[in-house]
Amino acid sequence: MIVTGKNEMSTQRLTDQFKKLVSIDSLSFHERDMADYLKEKMSSLGIDLLEDDSAERTGGNCGNLYGCFHGSKDAEPLLFLAHMDTVAPGIGKKAIEHADGTITSDGSTVLGADDASAIAVIIEAIQEIQEEKLPHRDIEILFTTAEEAYTVGVSAFDLSKIRAKKAFVLDVSGPVGGYQLTEPTLISFTFTIKGKASHAGFEPEEGVNAILAASRAIGRLPIGRPDDHSTFNIGVINGGTATNIVPDKVTVSGEIRSLVHEDALKLLSRAEEIFKDEAEALGAEATVQHNTFLEAYRIADDDPAFLMYKKALDKHHIEPRDRKSFGGSDNNVLRRNGIDGLCIANAMNKIHSCEEYTNIRDLEKVTAIVRELMLN
Ligand SMILES: [Zn+2]
């Protein structure tokens, strides 16, 4: 209609598809029903989705789905990625259509347009290309699990299966035309401080107070925003057993985010030094465990996927809008593995809240853009 001159039938089909996806419960690690539905749906379009064995490693009830929409055009394959999981509260989601084309939940759950709108759009674009018998390149499809849990699903997927060197990840909220310019490195950490227990009333001199060592260290940490592109947080402390015992163990957990990967690593080693320092000063011992969930990237002006996106937007007179996120997405993992992905807007707003909404016209616009990218 607005952008593609599409008929009412395909508008209805897209809306119905979106509503159907919303109606399926698909919390992170519980995407089984969604995966089964998508296998059946895509198979009816002639596309076999294979489920990988990542469930064994993620602890979820299904794996990632991978397939290819084979084309005859002699061009390098392209990957389109969307995640199957939604955040809580997300059980019993209902899509409610309003007179102005807005679609919301009933207010008691998220809508799950994050990321059902992406899946609906990919399915609709494929259907239109098939119906119109348009020549296209090989389109690889990856539907991931547990994106919302620090991209656990795609991290467990064997990305060497992907032939595409360029990818579009549909997972950006806000106006159509948006894309993610940067995403940060995210490192989570836990420091463990081991002291020595003793009776606090009878022989406090015999103890080494792990809480004291931890609190001295915490007081020296660059908590908050250590520089203009990094954050540092302590979120959880556990330790001690009783008020009359000198505590012998404390754990301190937190996270570091930074748009510059090296700076995140520097912050971590600085924290490590501080903990070791303060522990040593009291005769305690500090160790650290850390996990890099995401690795930062920044899209260059001449990034090949970005240039394709710009061209597709141009055709529909939509301006590209860059967004800087301090969250992460499956694209961090693609980029780290040599696939130049671009995260693009997919008609979702106020995500991760019960006010989440989408709009039918925006869904159509994104479908038109995705079609353009598939046909390019
Ligand atoms: Zn998402």
Side-chain angles (χ1 to χ4, degrees):
M1 272 156 68
I2 294 300
V3 172
T4 57
K6 275 197 300 191
N7 57 39
E8 270 172 43
M9 247 175 72
S10 62
T11 301
Q12 193 58 50
R13 183 171 66 190
L14 176 59
T15 310
D16 290 347
Q17 182 64 68
F18 175 73
K19 287 179 168 174
K20 171 68 194 171
L21 293 169
V22 166
S23 75
I24 302 170
D25 292 342
S26 191
L27 293 179
S28 304
F29 303 107
H30 297 88
E31 303 91 346
R32 177 82 272 154
D33 291 348
M34 180 63 88
D36 288 343
Y37 169 78
L38 288 174
K39 279 188 202 173
E40 209 179 295
K41 176 73 205 176
M42 295 298 272
S43 154
S44 77
L45 301 176
I47 300 167
D48 285 330
L49 289 180
L50 297 177
E51 183 173 340
D52 76 355
D53 60 359
S54 60
E56 293 167 15
R57 298 184 294 283
T58 63
N61 67 359
C62 84
N64 300 290
L65 301 182
Y66 165 74
C68 186
F69 173 32
H70 291 286
S72 56
K73 227 174 163 179
D74 188 24
E76 56 168 309
L78 268 184
L79 171 69
F80 286 80
L81 186 154
H83 64 85
M84 292 189 281
D85 59 320
T86 66
V87 295
I91 298 291
K93 306 188 296 316
K94 283 175 205 73
I96 295 171
E97 205 178 327
H98 302 267
D100 64 353
T102 304
I103 302 177
T104 64
S105 73
D106 67 5
S108 66
T109 67
V110 296
L111 175 62
D114 176 12
D115 208 17
S117 61
I119 299 173
V121 157
I122 290 171
I123 292 173
E124 176 61 25
I126 290 172
Q127 278 174 298
E128 289 178 16
I129 288 170
Q130 288 182 331
E131 281 166 1
E132 295 168 42
K133 298 192 171 59
L134 299 170
H136 62 91
R137 59 175 91 208
D138 274 0
I139 302 297
E140 296 182 281
I141 308 284
L142 182 56
F143 293 138
T144 61
T145 60
E147 187 276 341
E148 302 288 4
Y150 288 134
T151 68
V152 163
V154 73
S155 300
F157 181 73
D158 174 11
L159 282 166
S160 70
K161 282 185 187 145
I162 303 292
R163 290 177 294 135
K165 291 277 166 275
K166 292 200 276 285
F168 294 96
V169 176
L170 281 74
D171 198 10
V172 174
S173 62
V176 177
Y179 70 96
Q180 212 67 265
L181 180 65
T182 59
E183 289 191 284
T185 285
L186 198 165
I187 300 173
S188 73
F189 58 77
T190 297
F191 286 97
T192 302
I193 293 148
K194 279 196 181 125
K196 192 175 160 224
S198 69
H199 195 286
F202 303 156
E203 45 183 15
E205 301 81 3
E206 291 300 308
V208 175
N209 195 315
I211 289 181
L212 179 61
S215 54
R216 283 184 178 172
I218 291 167
R220 287 176 57 198
L221 293 174
I223 290 171
R225 206 178 284 284
D227 58 50
D228 65 356
H229 56 270
S230 310
T231 59
F232 189 110
N233 189 50
I234 295 297
V236 181
I237 301 183
N238 280 304
T241 51
T243 54
N244 62 351
I245 309 249
V246 174
D248 64 347
K249 191 180 164 193
V250 181
T251 60
V252 178
S253 304
E255 61 151 54
I256 297 166
R257 295 181 192 222
S258 182
L259 294 178
V260 180
H261 184 66
E262 290 69 30
D263 288 354
L265 296 178
K266 276 184 207 157
L267 284 166
L268 179 67
S269 51
R270 197 166 137 205
E272 215 174 325
E273 256 166 51
I274 291 172
F275 270 99
K276 292 218 156 118
D277 229 38
E278 296 297 344
E280 227 165 74
L282 287 178
E285 199 195 330
T287 53
V288 64
Q289 274 184 307
H290 55 88
N291 200 343
T292 303
F293 287 104
L294 307 170
E295 203 171 309
Y297 70 82
R298 185 185 176 90
I299 302 292
D301 290 342
D302 60 350
D303 180 271
F306 173 60
L307 292 179
M308 274 186 80
Y309 185 54
K310 237 167 84 172
K311 205 170 137 195
L313 290 178
D314 220 44
K315 205 155 178 184
H316 295 285
H317 313 289
I318 299 169
E319 282 292 311
R321 302 165 186 245
D322 64 22
R323 288 180 47 105
K324 294 184 188 92
S325 160
F326 237 59
S329 73
D330 284 345
N331 197 31
N332 290 78
V333 182
L334 295 187
R335 288 240 155 206
R336 184 158 63 175
N337 285 277
I339 300 170
D340 291 336
L342 182 73
C343 245
I344 64 173
N346 53 302
M348 59 187 192
N349 300 278
K350 289 199 175 181
I351 59 168
H352 298 199
S353 84
C354 294
E355 284 100 60
E356 185 183 8
Y357 67 93
T358 187
N359 177 292
I360 295 164
R361 280 186 306 173
D362 284 351
L363 286 171
E364 284 188 310
K365 283 187 200 173
V366 178
T367 304
I369 293 162
V370 165
R371 243 182 85 132
E372 201 63 49
L373 291 169
M374 287 180 173
L375 295 173
N376 184 293

